[in-house]
Structures are given as structure tokens and as C-alpha cells.
Amino acid sequence: MAPGEIDLSLLRGVRFRCRPGCGLCCYTTPAVEAGEAERLIQIDPNVPFLVGDRGWRYIDSRGDGGACHFLDRTRCRAHAERPFPCREFPLSVHLGTRAQATVVLSCPGIESPPWSVPAKERGSLDPPAGLEEEIGAVERAYSGPTFDPRLRANRRKWERLEERRAGADGWPAPEEIGNALRNDRVELARTTYDEVSSGGPGRGSLDELPLGFDEEAGLVAIAPIEGEWRLVRVEESGTQNREVARFQLPAEVPDLARPAERLLDAYLAYLLERDFTYWAAAEWSRASGEADLGGIVGADLGVFGALVIARAELWRSWKAPDRPRLEVTDLWKGIQVTDGEFLDRPTLGGVL
């Protein structure tokens, strides 16, 4: 891959069609550059901005778990002038020592996920469909002069941390970690299930909760409370949230039909193709002092695999309680509700 290019290989085979009436991507506080802010103020002089690190501004959301200020009945009032994070979605570009694009599987508009095909066969898939505007946005953003220095700086950070954490032997390459976890991915998820089934990871306000889209109920947040899990209808205002279901997860790992188990394994294998997986592990190593990068990645897979199972079981209990075990449709919902959370964590690198 030549300097200045974005690796789009993980997008092959993806089909995307935005879902009218969804609005899931608008339950956030997108970052806004100075020029973008000026154009947004022209649309609405009262747009509320939050100020973050290094002077970055963000469009504030409404209430506890409400949507972006500009969302009105699931439509964006500033769509033509929306900031870059909104133009990019459902893509996410991680900046490590290269720029790698991936798709946020939490978006209900993703019709054909790439991880369902083994990595060695993915090169034969069709180019992504329906993402032309989003790919154009990230390529234009990445064409500026600032990114090569960022990639070189990231390489230096990785090398320094590698020396400090692992000594002369260095960290194993991502391919080595992936190979070591080849036969253990689903088992890691099963053995980690009890850590998440009792109500974790703990979350506070609704704006921190994972969201899923349901054709009948609309947007639904998953909230642990008092040893149980609530499914809560989420409104744009953030003040009219109502509970649609409440469950206790079984203490034992739910039964997975064999196709569902294969689907879970394929998703966890796909996480190992994302650079973000290793750079998030490296950031955890930096923050915690833990030197075993392979161990961090394995624990990561266990937690997120277990979350997929738990959330799939919640959705099954709500929508198909007579179904005796988790099927592919349940696992896909668990993946959708979890994937955005996986990509929301700190990384040693950065995002575009």
C-alpha cells in the first residue's frame, strides 16, 4: 500500500443502504472543525457546542441519552453541512502505522457483513456497494499533509512501548497472536460469559449504553440495573425513555446452534483482522503496565464474544422467547449491538 492510501480491503463484499427512520448514528456528539462549526451556526445560531481536548468542539446531544441537537424526527436538519464524523459513518478509519478502514457493524444499514467470508477468500469479493460517498469523504480527509507524520509518530510510539513492555524479545506480530487464538475464540467467549451476565460492564447514563434498532420499537438501549437487564426505548429528546422489557440472563452460557457458533467465531476472527484490536490492546498495556499483548488481545476477544452472546440472548428473550437456543439471527443482533462499543475504546494510534 503506497503512502497516503487507505486500506479498504476489509470493506470488500459490504453492501450498505441507509435505513430511513433509524437515526442510530445521530445518538452521539460528533467532533466539529472550525469551518464546519461556522456553517452549522449559519443553520442554527443556537447550536450547542461542547469544548474538548486541544480545543476540539463537539455538537452536544439532548438530555440523558438523547440525540444530536440537529436530529428532528429521525432526519438531520444540517445534513448538507454535517461534520466529517457524520459523513464518514458507517466507516471508521484507524490510524496506526497505516490507515485501515473498517465498517461499524452496529449500523442497521449494513446488509452484507465482510467477516462472514474467510480472510483468504475476501479478495475475490465485489467492491463495497452503497458506500461511495463515505469512502470519498475519508479519502478526501486523508489526502491532506498531516497524516504521514501522524503515522510515523505512531510507529515510534509502538516501538517505544514494545521495548519498554516486552524487553528484547519484542511483542509477537498480530499474525502470531491471531494464529495462537485460532482454536480458542468461542471457548474464550463462553468462559468469560459469567463476567458479563450478571449486569456488566456497569454503565451510567443512557448516553453511554449500547444501542440496537428494532423494526417495531425503534432504537433500544441495553441497560444493566440491580442484577437484571433492561431494554429501554430511546427517544430523540432523551427524556421520554421507557422500558420495553426486563430480563435476568441465565447463569449458564445459552445454547448456540452450530451455525450461530460459526458466525460468532467468524466475527471474532474478523476482529483479529482489524488493526484497532492490537492498538487498543497496546493502549491498555501502556495504561496498565501489562506486557503480554497476546494475553490482552485474548481477554478482549473473550469479553466482547461474551457480550455478543449475552446481548443475543436478551434480544432472543424479547423477540423470540419460544426459540430454544440462539440462532444466526440472534447472534447477528448481538454483534450489531456490541460492535460499536468495541470501536469506541481508547487506542494507542488514532482515528481519522
Side-chain angles (χ1 to χ4, degrees):
M1 189 174 70
E5 290 184 359
I6 299 175
D7 184 351
L8 302 175
S9 60
L10 291 187
L11 304 184
R12 294 192 67 87
V14 175
R15 293 194 301 272
F16 168 72
R17 183 178 61 179
C18 186
R19 299 282 296 274
C22 168
L24 181 146
C25 57
C26 299
Y27 285 76
T28 184
T29 53
V32 179
E33 295 182 347
E36 295 172 332
E38 293 174 3
R39 293 190 291 273
L40 291 171
I41 291 171
Q42 291 177 2
I43 295 172
D44 183 348
N46 297 315
V47 54
F49 288 116
L50 301 172
V51 179
D53 295 338
R54 292 174 292 179
W56 274 95
R57 283 194 280 184
Y58 303 82
I59 303 174
D60 197 7
S61 58
R62 290 171 288 181
D64 185 12
C68 170
H69 172 80
F70 283 104
L71 192 68
D72 182 12
R73 288 170 287 187
T74 72
R75 291 185 177 274
C76 177
R77 295 189 292 115
H79 189 265
E81 299 296 344
R82 65 196 186 280
F84 174 75
C86 307
R87 294 181 183 276
E88 173 193 38
F89 193 85
L91 301 185
S92 176
V93 180
H94 183 263
L95 300 176
T97 54
R98 64 172 179 171
Q100 183 195 47
T102 188
V103 65
V104 183
L105 297 174
S106 296
C107 175
I110 301 299
E111 298 181 349
S112 177
W115 43 266
S116 59
V117 176
K120 62 183 179 182
E121 301 174 14
R122 196 165 294 137
S124 63
L125 295 175
D126 292 333
L131 288 167
E132 293 79 10
E133 184 176 354
E134 291 78 10
I135 291 174
V138 299
E139 289 180 334
R140 287 191 297 274
Y142 190 62
S143 64
T146 62
F147 291 102
D148 282 347
R150 287 180 66 181
L151 300 184
R152 289 195 294 271
N154 286 346
R155 182 178 295 278
R156 289 194 295 271
K157 285 193 294 186
W158 182 282
E159 291 172 348
R160 286 197 300 268
L161 187 60
E162 182 181 34
E163 293 171 0
R164 189 159 63 247
R165 299 298 185 211
D169 294 336
W171 276 338
E175 296 80 9
E176 295 178 60
I177 296 174
N179 288 335
L181 294 169
R182 178 178 297 165
N183 299 319
D184 298 328
R185 294 185 291 257
V186 174
E187 188 57 33
L188 280 169
R190 291 181 185 277
T191 56
T192 312
Y193 174 81
D194 63 341
E195 296 181 21
V196 303
S197 62
S198 61
R203 294 283 179 148
S205 60
L206 282 173
D207 58 2
E208 298 178 315
L209 298 176
L211 296 178
F213 179 74
D214 178 68
E215 293 286 354
E216 297 175 352
L219 284 181
V220 177
I222 295 179
I225 180 171
E226 299 175 356
E228 295 183 313
W229 294 75
R230 293 187 301 153
L231 299 177
V232 182
R233 173 74 182 270
V234 177
E235 308 286 352
E236 289 180 13
S237 66
T239 59
Q240 300 293 324
N241 304 294
R242 61 180 178 84
E243 184 177 300
V244 296
R246 181 183 290 223
F247 301 100
Q248 280 191 327
L249 283 168
E252 301 295 326
V253 182
D255 288 335
L256 277 69
R258 183 59 183 155
E261 190 173 275
R262 288 196 296 267
L263 182 62
L264 176 60
D265 188 57
Y267 173 64
L268 297 178
Y270 177 62
L271 295 188
L272 292 172
E273 295 183 62
R274 285 170 162 173
D275 293 350
F276 180 90
T277 301
Y278 303 95
W279 287 75
E283 172 60 22
W284 175 253
S285 174
R286 184 200 65 78
S288 67
E290 171 61 53
D292 182 6
L293 189 68
I296 297 172
V297 171
D300 224 17
L301 288 190
V303 167
F304 279 90
L307 283 172
V308 167
I309 294 173
R311 292 166 180 175
E313 171 63 14
L314 287 170
W315 219 268
R316 183 205 64 81
S317 299
W318 177 33
K319 304 300 291 187
D322 295 332
R323 190 152 52 220
R325 57 186 178 178
L326 295 176
E327 301 288 350
V328 164
T329 53
D330 305 311
L331 257 294
W332 172 227
K333 182 57 68 174
I335 289 167
Q336 285 184 305
V337 176
T338 304
D339 192 66
E341 189 172 353
F342 183 87
L343 294 169
D344 278 346
R345 297 166 301 147
T347 167
L348 186 70
V351 293
L352 179 58

